[in-house]
Every structure is written in structure tokens, then in C-alpha cells.
Amino acid sequence: MEASRGMSLHTKMAIGFAVGITAGILANSLAGDAGWLDIAINYVANPVGKVFLNLLFMLVVPLVFAALVLGVVEIGDPRALGRIGGRTLIYILAVTAIAVTIGMILVNLIQPGQGLPPELAESLIAQSSDRVADIATKGSAVSGIDLLINIVPRNPLAAAVNGDLIGVMFFALMFGIAATVVASDGTRSFVGAVQGVYDICLKLIGWIIQLAPYAVACLLFTITAKLGFDVLVQLARYVGTVVLALALHAFVVFPLLIKFFGGMSPLAFWRGAEPAILTAFSTSSSSATLPTTLKCAEEGLGVPRPVARFVCTLGATANMNGTALFEGITVLFLAQFFGVELSFVQQVSILVLCIFGAIGAAGVPGGSLPIIAMILAMFGIPPEGIGLILGVDRFLDMCRTTVNVGGDLVGSVVVARGEAKATV
Ligand code: ASP
């Protein structure tokens, strides 16, 4: 991942990160509503950031398809495939459950929903009523059973066009399994072509990532220059609960997993994962980060290619520890605010729903909000309460996406270690 000359890409990205945040915060506090700031945001920072995001998103569908087909074909042996698939599934379910539990314990201890001034809440909800209506409509369109049924796409091209990555993944997995079973000349040349697609995508991401330091600065400048710091302060207890829970998961649970189940030093892990972590924080999208995640897993962390491809690609949509934790906290926070009493059994049901909700959430900015709306409605908590947190959602999205992507990389290291042990 090193830049060809001079400073390493890691360092450049870290500088872009610091410059974007500092300049954005300064502009926000010094220039506020100034016209030039609007121009700088709308005509420079925002377009540069968006072009970078589009370049990353452009690679997601071909990469997901190619990575999964090749992952399955390279693993080859159905027993190894079953083992890696089973371990990945257990990892996702167990670590996501730990994440939601941390969140739910903290929200019960801190009780951020108590004592929030009703006038503040009303004005926050009123400010975001249009977006909330949109989210609530999307939320009511998803039902638990539909999430399951839609894993199997009726039309894989439509799934790709609509960004339904779970559908694309299912199709790719089936394709990979059949290609392994048939192993004719035809399938071998097909796999060769898919390998070509994968190599081309990785080359492209190698070029695109060179833009990351500048794009990261622009994305972070755009967000911080417009960020409502007032809202962050007003909802400080809620924001603090989410950030504390995410930090516990990232800095206690991840290092333990890395050390004891991955056999790697946590420091070496963070160093290898850094470009993906910074990209996740700046883009708020696990899917947009996927190309960088794959590159980090293979090159930065030395995870064998088939495992990296399999775990990170599935993980980008299915393994979202930060999102699950955030969903749990937000549902309970709003229940506390609206005075909806939840029994222990109801809280456990919310925990389970959050695990599956995180698997079903799309890896895009705000992807989990419709799922939260759905869970709120199921427990008689007013879904328009989401309006309360929209002002701080972007910041929390950056933090939770970072944990989501970190979790994918931890998973790839842990599964790779298990596989290495199983095959000696
Ligand atoms: N933005 C998150 C991701 O892409 C999903 C979410 O929690 O909204 O991982």
C-alpha cells in the first residue's frame, strides 16, 4: 500500500484526515454561514469527495461478484468451504451479539433518554420531518421475513442495479459452487476471466486510493464545516453512550479477538488496517470501503487471498458490529425518551432483531436507519423519534462504519488463523 515515492500512503491519508477535520472545524466556528464557505464546500470539497466515492462505488458490484466466485473456487474443497463459511457465520453472529450487548448494557446504565428537554426534542423532530417520513416509509417496506426471502434474488442484474448486495452475493456464491463442481474447460476459462476482472478492479483501486489523501480531506472538510456542533452538545449523553460503546468494542473486544483468536499483535493489526479504517471513517460506507478492505486484508494483514475475499466481501454487508450496537442503543434511547417501558424479554428480542437488522442493513451512509424505524414500529415506539438523532447521525455513522470495517478485518484474521490450524 506504499506510495511509490516519498511519504507512505498511510501517512498521507493520516495528514489528509487531520487537515480535513481541522480546516472544517475552524471554518465552521470562524466563517459559519459565510458565502465563500458555501462556494468552497459546494464547488470544491463536496464534488471532489463525491467523485472519489463514485469511483469506489463503481468497483463494488464487479468486485463483490469476482471476489466471491474466486473465493469459493480457490477454497475448492467443499469441506474447507463449509468450514470457512461456518466459522464466518459463527464469528459474525457471536461478535455482533457481543457488540449489541455492550450497547444495551451501557444505554441501560447511562439512560441518555431520560431528562432530555421536550422542547429541544420537538424542535429537532420538526426540523427533520421530511427525511424521517422517507426513512419511515422505507422502514415499513421491510419486514423480517422479506429480509430472508430477498437473500435469493429473482433477478441478479436487478439486484446489482438496485445495490442489493446480499442478492448479488448469493448469486456469486451459487455460481462459484457450481463452477467448482463442474470444472470443465468452459468453467475454467470463465474463472480465468473472473480472475481478470478481479485483477483489473484491484489495479483500479490501487490508482483510486492514491487520491484518497485529498478526497479524505475534502470529505471530512465538507462534513465538519457543516456539522451542527450544537446538536452534538445537546445530545451529548446519547452521542457519548454510542461512542463509548463503540470504543469498548474496538479497543477491548477487537484486540482480545486479534490476540487470542487471530494470533496477531493488535498494534500490527491497526497498522495494516489503517487505510481501510480511514476510508471507512471518511466515507461512512462499508461497501465503498470494500475495495480498500480487500487490499488491506491481503497486503497489510497477510490474510490468504481466498479467506480475505470470502470473509471481507460477505462482511461488508453482513458483518456490522458498529451498526448493530448503534441500533440497540438508539431503539432503547428512544424508548426511554418516549417513556415506553420494555420488559427484559422485549429487550432480548430487540437484541436479536438488531443482530439480524445489522446483517440486513445496506453498507451505505444511513443504511441502518430504515431498520431502526422498523424495529421502533414493532415495539410501539414512535418511528418519527428518529428525527431526534438525524442531526448527529452523520458523525455517528462515521464512527460505526469504522467499527464495521474493523470487524470485517478482525474476522478475516481470525478465520484465516482457524483455517491454518485446521489444515496443518
Ligand atoms: N453506514 C454503515 C455502513 O456502511 C451502515 C449504517 O449503520 O448506517 O457500514
Side-chain angles (χ1 to χ4, degrees):
M1 308 277 318
E2 302 298 295
S4 48
R5 61 197 126 81
M7 230 183 268
S8 77
L9 181 63
H10 288 229
T11 318
K12 282 192 190 170
M13 278 181 86
I15 294 174
F17 182 87
V19 168
I21 290 196
T22 319
I25 293 177
L26 281 177
N28 184 296
S29 53
L30 300 179
D33 300 328
W36 68 262
L37 181 57
D38 267 353
I39 295 177
I41 292 174
N42 293 333
Y43 293 99
V44 184
N46 196 27
V48 173
K50 283 257 166 69
V51 167
F52 177 69
L53 273 181
N54 286 355
L55 285 168
L56 290 175
F57 273 125
M58 175 178 93
L59 296 180
V60 169
V61 170
L63 248 187
V64 164
F65 181 76
L68 278 183
V69 169
L70 293 173
V72 171
V73 170
E74 282 175 0
I75 294 168
D77 168 20
R79 280 214 319 259
L81 184 61
R83 216 171 35 230
I84 295 178
R87 285 214 170 98
T88 308
L89 198 69
I90 293 172
Y91 172 86
I92 292 178
L93 292 175
V95 181
T96 309
I98 296 175
V100 194
T101 310
I102 294 177
M104 292 181 76
I105 292 177
L106 284 188
V107 75
N108 275 303
L109 287 178
I110 301 175
Q111 299 272 338
Q114 305 285 352
L116 202 69
E119 322 77 60
L120 168 68
E122 258 169 43
S123 84
L124 289 176
I125 293 177
Q127 276 163 29
S128 38
S129 58
D130 287 352
R131 246 194 99 196
V132 174
D134 189 37
I135 292 168
T137 320
K138 282 194 195 136
S140 58
V142 279
S143 77
I145 195 72
D146 282 348
L147 282 179
L148 277 179
I149 295 173
N150 290 338
I151 291 178
V152 184
R154 177 194 286 255
N155 175 346
L157 291 181
V161 170
N162 296 327
D164 164 18
L165 285 186
I166 298 220
V168 177
M169 284 179 186
F170 182 84
F171 180 67
L173 283 175
M174 297 304 284
F175 236 76
I177 293 171
T180 319
V181 173
V182 179
S184 65
D185 283 349
T187 53
R188 269 189 287 275
S189 40
F190 166 74
V191 171
V194 175
Q195 180 67 54
V197 170
Y198 187 84
D199 293 344
I200 292 169
C201 287
L202 236 55
K203 184 77 217 154
L204 285 172
I205 184 64
W207 290 338
I208 296 169
I209 199 89
Q210 300 298 327
L211 303 175
Y214 314 100
V216 161
C218 288
L219 283 166
L220 291 174
F221 178 80
T222 307
I223 294 162
T224 43
K226 288 197 299 198
L227 195 70
F229 286 99
D230 296 348
V231 192
L232 277 181
V233 175
Q234 286 157 343
L235 293 179
R237 266 177 63 206
Y238 163 72
V239 173
T241 311
V242 177
V243 172
L244 180 63
L246 288 172
L248 281 176
H249 195 73
F251 299 118
V252 179
V253 178
F254 283 169
L256 289 174
L257 288 169
I258 280 291
K259 185 134 191 64
F260 294 108
F261 292 93
M264 186 185 262
S265 111
L267 252 162
F269 171 80
W270 289 118
R271 215 170 292 132
E274 194 187 307
I277 298 289
L278 292 178
T279 311
F281 188 80
S282 336
T283 60
S284 297
S285 166
S286 302
S287 299
T289 311
L290 176 64
T292 320
T293 314
L294 282 167
K295 214 169 162 54
C296 283
E298 286 179 23
E299 295 171 12
L301 301 172
V303 175
R305 287 183 98 180
V307 176
R309 288 166 171 175
F310 190 84
V311 180
C312 295
T313 310
L314 280 183
T317 19
N319 183 38
M320 294 196 179
N321 303 165
T323 290
L325 172 162
F326 167 77
E327 287 172 353
I329 294 184
T330 305
V331 170
L332 294 197
F333 163 72
L334 293 175
Q336 287 166 3
F337 174 73
F338 287 110
V340 178
E341 290 288 331
L342 294 169
S343 66
F344 180 71
V345 175
Q346 281 177 314
Q347 293 215 17
V348 174
S349 329
I350 292 177
L351 188 148
V352 175
L353 281 170
C354 288
I355 298 176
F356 289 102
I359 295 177
V364 294
S368 52
L369 298 178
I371 309 273
I372 296 181
M374 175 193 81
I375 303 180
L376 290 173
M378 284 170 77
F379 288 85
I381 308 163
E384 57 273 19
I386 287 214
L388 207 62
I389 56 132
L390 280 188
V392 291
D393 183 59
R394 184 63 198 216
F395 170 69
L396 295 179
D397 204 357
M398 294 156 86
C399 300
R400 66 183 184 257
T401 307
T402 306
V403 173
N404 290 345
V405 170
D408 297 340
L409 287 168
V410 175
S412 70
V413 172
V414 169
V415 173
R417 171 94 182 290
E419 204 36 33
K421 278 190 175 166
T423 46
V424 284

